[in-house]
Amino acid sequence: MVLSPEQQFEEMREEAYFCMEGLGRLNPEKVDFYIDYIKFQVEHGFYDGDANLNILKLYQFSPDLITRSSIDIVHLILVKALMQLPKEDYVFCRAQLSQDMIDDNLTKKIDDVATLLETCLFPKFWSVVQEEKIFSEMAGFVEAARCFICHVIQLTYKNIEIDFLKQLLGPLSTDQEFDEILERHSWEVNGDSVFIGHKEEMVESKEIVEKMPIEVVRPLLAIR
Amino acid sequence: MAWTGNTGGGQQMAHMQMMYYPTPAVESSSGDEVAEAVVNFLKWLYHFINTNEIYHVENMYEDGFYKISEFYFKDKPWPAPEVVQEITEEKDEQSIFMILYRELYYRHIYARLKPTLEHRFDSYSNYCELFAYLLAADEPVKIELPNKWLWDIIDEFVYQFQSFQQFKSKAGKINEEEKNMLRDEDDAWKVTAVLNILIQLTEKCNINAQLQAIEAGEPVTEDIAGEFGMKTIYTMTGFFSLVGLLRLYCLLGDYHLALSCIQHVAFKDKDMMALVPACQITANYYAGFAYFMIRKYANTIQLYQSILGYVQRTKQFFQNRSFQAEDINKKNDQMLALLAISSYFCPLRLDESVNIQIKEKHSEKVTRLQHGDMTVYDELFFIGCPKFLSPVVSENSSSPFGSSGPRGLQLQVFKAEVEQQRLIPTLRSFLKLYTSIPISKLAKFLDMHENEVRCCLMAFKHKKEIAKGHGGDQTTLDIDFYVDKDMIHISDTKIARHYGDYYVQQILKLKESNKMIIGAALTTPAVAPVTPVTM
């Protein structure tokens, strides 16, 4: 019986979960399983952050596992983690890298891309990302990036100019794609701008009044 | 009071409190002689541990051990374990009392003297014996120990591992003989073994399941905790091991596992960690540090504020324990440094007392932060960060303080965030001045292209959202805004002047002054009694 990719992923996820119980996660003999697992994730567009991060942990604890091709796995792990923005997966991974891994050219490139995303320099992000194969070959990368970009737009804008919005969303193959994105987020076109959402309550005049919690006042109550 | 073998009577108890206080007449003897007070202490401790009189054990541990160390063993070790075995007439050198005594013996050496490599190996074997005693038992052990002692065991265990890694990484200072010993005994202090022990201690009592039940407000039954978890010694050791793991994972740069350790821990005043102040401080520091590294500054600020307040309130209880007070002061300073950075990236209202402390300790650095000086970040980070470790230390490893050592690697992660935050404070200071401003005008002020400004505005929002963490009701001092095409609309938040904190401080000060005046009046009979100033 041939399992669908979803079913295969479920099986691998369960196996990974049991392998990583307690001290089991440091067992170096399982590293090949985790490597196959992430390759599967990359190919079919699934994600298991815990298992991927565990590969980095194994490299940290058992450096003799590191071969010449290990750095490629590290790159896959980093890009997959980057796709989870605004979640903190990328920082978790970044904190587990050795100096050799950091000094690698492609790692530096991935790090630059991460910075571009975190500083929201989205137009530049799209042009840099086209320079490296790893991004174009990663299933779901473009969608994940757009998801993050739309999240930030949602936080910031009430109305945004259409031209600028298109710049932020990166190369769109058809107008239909653009309309689909608008529909997914319930954004409406309004002449030359797009209405994102009402934001006025964010900037209402507020006065912050002092609160005195009881622990602070308690010592006073004891004074006769 | 000398040991007579007779343990009845409250009168003996009262005298016992006195007997191990240093008596000037008995000199600290050299050679094989053990002072009488020490002999008594050991005999009583042996007795109480074997009869499980936990209240007395606690007294002797917290008070007696420290006082005797101060007076008799300031710069030399406690009597050798073999000698103690003779004194207490304990036949079994692997009895739990001897294991516990050896733990104290080595802990003292690490604290006051310099441990040799042999000490390190022997101490490790002793820890293995101790944990095997707890873990390998078929049914829960009968002994009970005070919580403070259990915490100190776990804390010291992690500390000695840290010390061992640091020792190994100082390649230049290890002589040939030591190098050979290291090669022969390569089982001792392995990181996997240390982790394994801590993990097993947490699993033995199902501490995570217990914490989840407590979180949900349900009672902890034997179904949840298991047979071992129903005994305090296992539950508390399990809980302290959880904090030990939190610390160890932070030291190894694994913030994901560090935070997963405490996912069910409530960090409230009344929970398990409040039983031992040192544990509470350690747990809050490392949890706050993990949040700091993943940029959730609001969480860090919340944890550090509450623990710093706690330390202020309980300061007087630590005064008589000099080495503990030192430890706590160090953590205090570390947290202040990290708070300085956190509140710069995520302006939240800080308690007045905390603000004052930061000003006292780091005012020059805070000013430099506000002026955009990039070098001050390194300084503050080095003050605030823990002593990072690498799990594998070989003879060729780089120095722990070098730029590619464990600390250097974490600094690089932090500097990436510093770089990403670079333009935000300037943006914030301009936006504060307006309730609305066109993007083109702001771009002129900042000397940037309009699109760059647009991106910077989005980055501000993105970073702010991340820093929020779990939310909570902390008062933000930060502005908020939204963009409507080419116009920025900014919030107009007014903060009412906070008088309360200041009043409370002054009232308490006045109360103290009154106390002093009355006290002075009572001890100088010639002076007429002073009527206290009533409030």
Side-chain angles (χ1 to χ4, degrees), chain B residues 25-43:
Chain B
V26 181
E27 266 177 34
S28 187
S29 37
S30 59
D32 293 318
E33 277 185 55
V34 181
E36 190 188 330
V38 180
V39 168
N40 281 331
F41 174 82
L42 290 169
K43 284 183 169 165

Side-chain angles (χ1 to χ4, degrees), chain A residues 57 118 158-159 206 208, chain B residues 254 412 462 483 485 494:
Chain A
K57 201 164 184 70
E118 294 260 29
K158 180 183 174 190
N159 284 302
K206 286 187 276 219
I208 300 176
Chain B
D254 189 343
Q412 289 177 45
H462 161 59
V483 183
K485 289 199 261 191
K494 279 202 259 299

Side-chain angles (χ1 to χ4, degrees), chain B residues 196-213:
Chain B
N196 189 28
I197 289 174
L198 293 172
I199 292 175
Q200 280 195 45
L201 286 169
T202 61
E203 287 175 352
K204 194 77 175 172
C205 64
N206 292 333
I207 189 67
N208 274 318
Q210 288 196 44
L211 289 170
Q212 271 179 293

Side-chain angles (χ1 to χ4, degrees), chain A residues 6-117:
Chain A
E6 284 82 13
Q7 288 168 315
Q8 282 182 308
F9 174 67
E10 254 324 293
E11 259 186 23
M12 294 179 100
R13 201 171 63 84
E14 272 188 45
E15 188 178 340
Y17 182 78
F18 285 120
C19 287
M20 290 194 293
E21 265 201 83
L23 202 69
R25 49 171 67 236
L26 292 178
N27 181 1
E29 290 169 22
K30 295 294 285 184
V31 71
D32 289 324
F33 162 69
Y34 295 118
I35 290 179
D36 288 335
Y37 187 24
I38 187 176
K39 286 184 179 162
F40 181 87
Q41 292 173 47
V42 168
E43 202 188 319
H44 296 280
F46 295 110
Y47 182 68
D48 187 338
D50 212 359
N52 299 347
L53 192 50
N54 204 47
I55 301 178
L56 294 178
K57 201 164 184 70
L58 283 170
Y59 286 157
Q60 198 196 20
F61 275 67
S62 314
D64 33 280
L65 287 176
I66 301 178
T67 64
R68 293 194 58 187
S69 55
S70 301
I71 191 69
D72 300 325
I73 304 295
V74 172
H75 295 147
L76 292 178
I77 297 173
L78 289 174
V79 177
K80 275 302 236 180
L82 204 50
M83 285 163 62
Q84 304 305 307
L85 274 174
K87 294 216 206 102
E88 52 271 351
D89 293 47
Y90 185 77
V91 187
F92 284 146
C93 293
R94 186 64 187 68
Q96 298 272 273
L97 299 182
S98 69
Q99 191 64 50
D100 287 334
M101 292 175 192
I102 297 172
D103 288 337
D104 175 86
N105 278 328
L106 185 50
T107 311
K108 286 198 187 138
K109 240 352 196 352
I110 298 174
D111 220 19
D112 287 341
V113 168
T115 305
L116 288 172
L117 282 173

